[in-house]
Amino acid sequence: MQAESAAGIGRLPGQTTESFRTRTTDNPDALLVQKAQEGDVDAFERLVERYERTVYAIVARMIPSRDDAEDLAQEVFLQAWKSIRRFRGDAQFGTWLHTITVNATLKRIQWLKRRDALSLDDPELGLWEHVADDSGNGPLDVACSAEARQAVQKALAKLSDNHRMAVVLHYFEDYSCDEIAAMMQCSVGTVWSRLHYACKKLKADLGTFQASLAEQVET
Amino acid sequence: MNCSKAEKLLLRQAEGALDERTSSCLEQHLAACERCTQEMADLREMRGVLLSVRTPAPKPSVDFHSRLAAELRKDTGRQAKRWPAILSWPVPRPSWALATAGAAALVAVAGYLHVLPELQTGTYKTAGAPPAATVRTAPSPDATLPSVASKRAAAEKSPQTSSAHGLRIDRNPERSSALHPGGTLKQRPASPALPEQAATDKRPSVYTRLPERIAGLPVSASGMSATEKDTTLEAVPEDTTPGRVTKPLSAMRGAATGGSIAPMAAAPVTGSLPPSLGFGEDRAFHVAANREPEDDSRASARGIAERADAVQMVYGSIDARARALFTY
């Protein structure tokens, strides 16, 4: 996923054409980004095809409603399209896009909370829909019993938005702590601290049920 | 390694993100610390739970891309209407910073235009500023001009305001003290008004110096007696005091050119400035001269100080208004 997003996008101030061409050949996103910055919608649509799954995954694991998640994902891409001319290539395009995604998602969650429209307690909606919605094989069948599902879901819903976002990005989307730090615009130590706190909080909230759930998972 | 430092590294150790040296140090601490060992076990357990419930990334609906493409092209069309292609790239679009700078410039221009009339007429004053004006306005005797009449009314309401119209110079110590309670001007005693002295005083030379004094310029020593240099200029309301000796400028000129000029001026004199001085025929004035001589340097310093006070007043007022605008 992150391997797809290449490094170094866009022309930096004072950068020579040769070095920029060298970078564009090494970076599959660079040429598309350059064309998109010149107003090429087709080039930006190619970028959308590359990143729509990752962007939607982050949004959908944080926003309960599928419709709301799709609307927000579209808004993220529209925002990226409007501001792509300000992208200078200091970071990877994927990191830049995911930073927009994280910020937009946290902002939307706050907006939904203010409108009392967020209901993560609903077992049929929210995080659990994307955490355990596949009735696959192996220990997940055991772990995702109705009781376990509800317990983990409630424990995750009690986390703050930043802690839950760190958990989602690290344990569900498999981003490294360095990448999460870039996305959430904080230090790597802060990311580790948030993950540590989230794990301790989840354990405390799960209580006695956590031991039995872990035992089921191990078996 | 203590527990506080070890606790921050537990999760990294559980995920294998520590280097070998730090990991070995942490293991040594864990071997000796039961509490950290228990917490390490809990973190590993929770990490296992979270990873076990992880599912493949959710996928958007089938029409997600087509809807987004339509929105992108719609937005591109709107941008093309707003910004012609020649301006769309690489010329940057106006940002909020530019808009803010424009708004600030408008506020500054509006504030300047607001105070401009007062600055031009010299009637600008600020709250709390000392009444240090040395030149005050008096109503013009010519009431036929609306502007002069209105300024006369304003001067009567606020005697401390100064204007280029209807200047009067007074040397009456009592009235000067009443008009200048702050004592910013050097008040000198004046002799009783004597018609004879007034008729024979060197008034014309003082009158010709009047614009320079009004403008706050230092008075040079050339062509002026010590009494003239020490003249205190004040603008007072039109003198209607019974028995007050006033004399028109033409009479003063006649007396001055007659050769019988008295060295000192004791009586206040009222007259009209000639048009060549730039004040017009309708400007009445009243001149009072202090008897005690004053050095040229003191007169110059006083003029400069008066000028500096006026400039400071104006700038202080502009600053106060600007602060009020931005606070609002």
Side-chain angles (χ1 to χ4, degrees):
Chain A
M1 174 173 47
Q2 286 299 300
E4 293 178 357
S5 61
I9 319 292
R11 188 191 301 272
L12 296 175
Q15 190 178 16
T16 61
T17 307
E18 288 73 16
S19 62
F20 180 71
R21 284 175 181 168
T22 303
R23 290 180 59 190
T24 54
T25 53
D26 297 338
N27 186 354
D29 289 339
L31 188 59
L32 294 176
V33 169
Q34 183 188 8
K35 289 182 177 179
Q37 287 179 329
E38 293 170 353
D40 189 347
V41 185
D42 295 331
F44 189 77
E45 286 183 10
R46 294 280 305 280
L47 292 171
V48 171
E49 291 174 0
R50 288 186 184 181
Y51 290 100
E52 65 181 358
R53 290 189 62 181
T54 58
V55 168
Y56 178 75
I58 295 173
V59 173
R61 291 190 194 275
M62 296 292 292
I63 302 294
S65 169
R66 178 178 290 271
D67 293 336
D68 289 342
E70 287 201 355
D71 289 342
L72 180 58
Q74 293 211 0
E75 287 183 18
V76 167
F77 282 112
L78 285 173
Q79 185 178 347
W81 166 246
K82 290 176 182 176
S83 57
I84 195 171
R85 286 168 183 160
R86 294 198 293 269
F87 175 64
R88 298 182 302 173
D90 298 336
Q92 297 179 1
F93 176 77
T95 303
W96 179 73
L97 182 63
H98 292 149
T99 302
I100 297 176
T101 306
V102 168
N103 290 334
T105 304
L106 294 174
K107 200 172 181 180
R108 177 62 61 91
I109 290 173
Q110 292 297 321
W111 182 78
L112 291 172
K113 282 181 177 178
R114 282 197 298 269
R115 294 192 55 175
D116 296 327
L118 189 64
S119 176
L120 284 174
D121 294 335
D122 187 353
E124 301 303 323
L125 295 175
L127 186 64
W128 190 252
E129 182 181 1
H130 307 292
V131 168
D133 60 350
D134 63 335
S135 55
N137 301 320
L140 199 59
D141 292 331
V142 182
C144 294
S145 62
E147 192 178 5
R149 226 192 284 175
Q150 196 169 10
V152 174
Q153 176 192 7
K154 287 184 177 179
L156 286 170
K158 288 180 182 177
L159 296 176
S160 70
D161 297 333
N162 283 325
H163 289 95
R164 192 151 51 93
M165 178 65 80
V167 169
V168 163
L169 292 175
H170 187 63
Y171 292 116
F172 297 159
E173 291 300 315
D174 205 18
Y175 287 104
S176 69
C177 286
D178 293 344
E179 293 168 331
I180 296 172
M183 292 180 202
M184 301 188 73
Q185 296 170 312
C186 62
S187 66
V188 180
T190 302
V191 175
W192 281 113
S193 175
R194 286 175 179 172
L195 290 174
H196 189 167
Y197 176 83
C199 288
K200 289 178 68 175
K201 185 77 164 42
L202 284 173
K203 183 183 182 304
D205 289 339
L206 286 175
T208 56
F209 179 78
Q210 181 261 337
S212 60
L213 178 64
E215 185 179 349
Q216 289 175 344
V217 170
E218 288 175 0
T219 56
Chain B
M1 183 177 291
N2 55 18
C3 290
S4 175
K5 188 173 182 181
E7 188 179 6
K8 298 177 181 177
L9 302 175
L10 289 178
L11 188 58
R12 302 186 200 199
Q13 176 73 358
E15 298 191 3
L18 287 179
D19 58 83
E20 188 174 352
R21 181 172 175 274
T22 309
S23 177
S24 62
C25 290
L26 181 61
E27 288 295 338
Q28 290 178 1
H29 174 78
L30 291 176
C33 182
E34 187 178 351
R35 176 174 163 269
C36 290
T37 303
Q38 180 61 40
E39 187 167 352
M40 180 75 169
D42 293 342
L43 288 176
R44 281 182 170 155
E45 201 170 18
M46 278 311 306
R47 179 173 177 270
V49 170
L50 290 173
L51 290 177
S52 65
V53 298
R54 184 174 64 174
T55 61
K59 298 176 183 178
S61 60
V62 180
D63 61 341
F64 176 81
H65 189 80
S66 60
R67 286 191 289 126
L68 179 58
E71 288 292 328
L72 285 173
R73 297 187 184 280
K74 192 188 301 181
D75 183 77
T76 306
R78 284 197 295 265
Q79 289 185 9
K81 287 180 181 178
R82 287 197 302 264
W83 302 98
I86 193 173
L87 295 177
S88 60
W89 180 260
V91 178
R93 300 176 184 179
S95 61
W96 282 107
L98 186 60
T100 305
L106 283 177
V107 169
V109 171
Y112 176 74
L113 293 178
H114 181 68
V115 302
L116 183 59
E118 298 178 4
L119 291 175
Q120 288 177 340
T121 57
T123 58
Y124 195 88
K125 63 177 183 179
T126 58
T134 58
V135 179
R136 298 180 182 177
T137 58
S140 169
D142 187 0
T144 57
L145 297 176
S147 59
V148 175
S150 60
K151 289 177 179 177
R152 176 193 300 179
E156 287 174 354
K157 288 181 179 178
S158 177
Q160 292 186 357
T161 58
S162 61
S163 171
H165 299 282
L167 288 168
R168 302 193 69 193
I169 307 170
D170 187 21
R171 64 188 301 269
N172 189 335
E174 296 177 1
R175 183 158 51 185
S176 297
S177 300
L179 290 173
H180 295 279
T184 56
L185 288 181
K186 189 175 182 180
Q187 305 294 335
R188 298 178 183 278
S191 63
L194 297 176
E196 298 80 10
Q197 290 182 351
T200 57
D201 200 1
K202 292 182 179 178
R203 292 304 173 197
S205 61
V206 177
Y207 302 149
T208 57
R209 288 288 175 181
L210 189 57
E212 294 179 335
R213 302 299 300 269
I214 293 169
L217 297 174
V219 180
S220 64
S222 59
M224 292 188 69
S225 66
T227 303
E228 293 165 354
K229 296 168 195 170
D230 201 40
T231 299
T232 301
L233 301 183
E234 290 184 11
V236 297
E238 187 69 29
D239 190 10
T240 56
T241 305
R244 185 139 186 100
V245 179
T246 59
K247 218 168 181 57
L249 181 59
S250 56
M252 296 301 303
R253 275 183 170 166
T257 53
S260 58
I261 301 174
M264 292 293 180
V269 180
T270 302
S272 299
L273 291 173
S276 60
L277 296 179
F279 286 87
E281 288 290 346
D282 58 334
R283 314 294 159 74
F285 58 88
H286 194 80
V287 178
N290 292 326
R291 283 180 174 275
E292 297 179 5
E294 187 178 15
D295 295 338
D296 289 345
S297 59
R298 294 183 62 184
S300 301
R302 189 175 58 184
I304 293 172
E306 293 166 0
R307 183 80 168 177
D309 287 344
V311 172
Q312 190 176 7
M313 258 175 38
V314 172
Y315 277 97
S317 176
I318 291 175
D319 181 63
R321 291 190 180 213
R323 287 173 185 274
L325 283 174
F326 280 109
T327 303
Y328 176 74

